[in-house]
């Protein structure tokens, strides 16, 4: 998917909502556990109930790998279902990969060619040659971890290195990578006050912003500091939507929570025209 196609969907749906599909069998409704593939059945119902409200879905790969080959098959069925039934939706493999060049190439092939995700999250710690293999794929996006929403982000990401915070150096250096126009960045919603400085470095890039909802991020603050002239945000909510109910109405409850966020987004978009 091209950036232009993503922007078109945002304006069509009046939404920049990304829904995280972080499926934990201990949290999904008990009646689904009787199904042959409860993870896929849960995802399918959530997607069918919310696809008109969201422009992106983000399976966290760890939640599938934890269940071995069965979990991987559930992931494969989920991304195939999205691509076949809702091809306009932007898909994110939240895999946080990043390794030396030939290994990164294999990771990229796995998620971009085999599973056909539109994008993948990448850890930048190993530098240029661990990121550029992902950037080499046409119309695929590499989402670099820049400033994350967890408390441990302060261990390294905000440390002063030669007069500049490390996350800012990551942003600036990444702009020199080959095919850097395919880069997006992760910036946690709980770090909204940093977004103004981030936009000075990467004014045109899309930001994936997790942490709205269960983690306490504020949508209005994120938008106040992070919106750009093509919206430039994908705001993710996972637990707050998919686990809105553990009863038979879980899909309807998820749709209601997604609708609440979409309406807030629509209002923000209307006021920033």
């Amino acid at each position: 998917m091209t950036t232009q196609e993503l922007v078109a969907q945002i304006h069509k749906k009046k939404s920049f909502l990304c829904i995280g599909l972080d499926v934990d069998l201990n949290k999904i409704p008990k009646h689904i556990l009787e199904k042959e593939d409860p993870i896929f059945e849960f995802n399918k119902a959530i997607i069918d109930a919310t696809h008109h409200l969201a422009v992106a879905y983000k399976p966290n790969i760890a939640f599938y790998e934890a269940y071995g080959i069965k979990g991987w098959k559930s992931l494969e069925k989920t991304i195939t279902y999205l691509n076949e039934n809702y091809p306009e939706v932007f898909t994110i493999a939240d895999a946080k990969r990043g390794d030396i060049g030939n290994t990164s190439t294999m990771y990229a092939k796995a998620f971009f060619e085999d599973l056909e995700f539109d994008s993948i999250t990448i850890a930048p710690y190993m530098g240029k040659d661990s990121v550029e293999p992902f950037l080499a794929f046409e119309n695929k996006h590499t989402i670099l971890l820049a400033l994350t929403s967890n408390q441990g982000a302060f261990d390294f990401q905000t440390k002063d290195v030669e007069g500049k915070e490390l996350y800012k150096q990551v942003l600036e250096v990444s702009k020199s990578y080959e095919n850097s126009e395919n880069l997006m960045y992760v910036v946690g919603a709980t770090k909204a006050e940093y977004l103004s400085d981030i936009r000075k470095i990467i004014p045109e890039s899309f930001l994936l912003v997790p942490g709205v909802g269960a983690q306490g991020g504020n949508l209005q603050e994120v938008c106040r500091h992070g919106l750009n002239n093509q919206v430039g945000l994908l705001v993710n909510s996972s637990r707050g939507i998919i686990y809105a109910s553990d009863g038979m109405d879980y899909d309807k409850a998820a749709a209601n929570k997604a609708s609440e966020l979409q309406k807030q987004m629509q209002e923000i978009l209307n006021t920033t025209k």
Side-chain angles (χ1 to χ4, degrees), residues 11-259:
H11 289 299
K12 181 178 180 179
K13 293 182 176 178
K14 297 179 173 55
S15 170
F16 42 97
L17 175 62
C18 173
I19 295 178
L21 299 174
D22 305 353
V23 186
D24 183 341
L25 291 180
N26 294 315
K27 293 181 179 179
I28 68 174
K30 296 294 185 287
H31 70 277
I32 307 177
L33 297 176
E34 302 168 2
K35 303 285 187 179
E36 181 181 352
D37 188 343
I39 293 175
F40 172 67
E41 292 297 333
F42 179 80
N43 282 344
K44 179 178 179 295
I46 295 291
I47 291 164
D48 286 342
T50 61
H51 68 91
H52 59 297
L53 302 165
V55 296
Y57 288 92
K58 182 178 72 64
N60 186 320
I61 305 306
F63 285 80
Y64 300 84
E65 292 176 328
Y67 298 107
I69 190 65
K70 288 184 178 180
W72 196 261
K73 287 185 179 295
S74 300
L75 175 66
E76 185 177 38
K77 287 163 70 174
T78 297
I79 187 62
T80 299
Y81 185 77
L82 277 166
N83 286 337
E84 289 181 351
N85 294 277
Y86 307 108
E88 77 283 358
V89 169
F90 188 72
T91 56
I92 302 168
D94 190 3
K96 300 180 180 69
R97 297 301 197 253
D99 207 328
I100 58 172
N102 58 347
T103 309
S104 282
T105 296
M106 293 304 176
Y107 280 137
K109 285 178 176 291
F111 288 100
F112 289 157
E113 292 186 346
D114 183 38
L115 293 175
E116 297 187 34
F117 275 92
D118 293 312
S119 64
I120 184 172
T121 57
I122 297 298
Y125 191 77
M126 290 183 71
K128 177 179 180 177
D129 57 332
S130 71
V131 178
E132 287 188 337
F134 295 94
L135 293 172
F137 287 75
E138 188 175 1
N139 292 332
K140 300 292 186 178
H141 302 270
T142 300
I143 309 177
L144 212 61
L145 299 177
L147 187 61
T148 55
S149 56
N150 61 307
Q151 186 60 36
F154 296 107
D155 289 350
F156 301 112
Q157 296 168 29
T158 58
K159 292 298 183 186
D160 188 289
V161 180
E162 297 181 352
K164 186 174 294 183
E165 291 140 304
L166 182 58
Y167 79 90
K168 291 182 179 179
Q169 296 198 27
V170 169
L171 293 171
E172 291 179 349
V173 170
S174 70
K175 294 195 298 181
S176 69
Y177 293 169
E178 189 171 359
N179 300 314
S180 62
E181 66 275 9
N182 294 333
L183 279 172
M184 297 179 175
Y185 299 87
V186 175
V187 179
T190 56
K191 306 290 191 300
E193 67 273 18
Y194 293 84
L195 279 165
S196 295
D197 283 347
I198 288 171
R199 276 301 185 208
K200 292 174 184 175
I201 302 170
I202 48 167
E204 303 301 325
S205 300
F206 258 86
L207 306 179
L208 172 63
V209 185
V212 167
Q215 294 182 53
N218 182 281
L219 177 63
Q220 285 71 27
E221 281 298 294
V222 167
C223 292
R224 186 160 71 90
H225 297 288
L227 282 171
N228 66 14
N229 57 10
Q230 58 177 4
V231 181
L233 295 175
L234 291 172
V235 172
N236 181 81
S237 180
S238 301
R239 288 170 289 169
I241 290 177
I242 66 174
Y243 298 133
S245 169
D246 61 0
M248 298 292 289
D249 66 338
Y250 72 97
D251 53 343
K252 295 183 177 64
N256 288 337
K257 285 294 184 182
S259 180

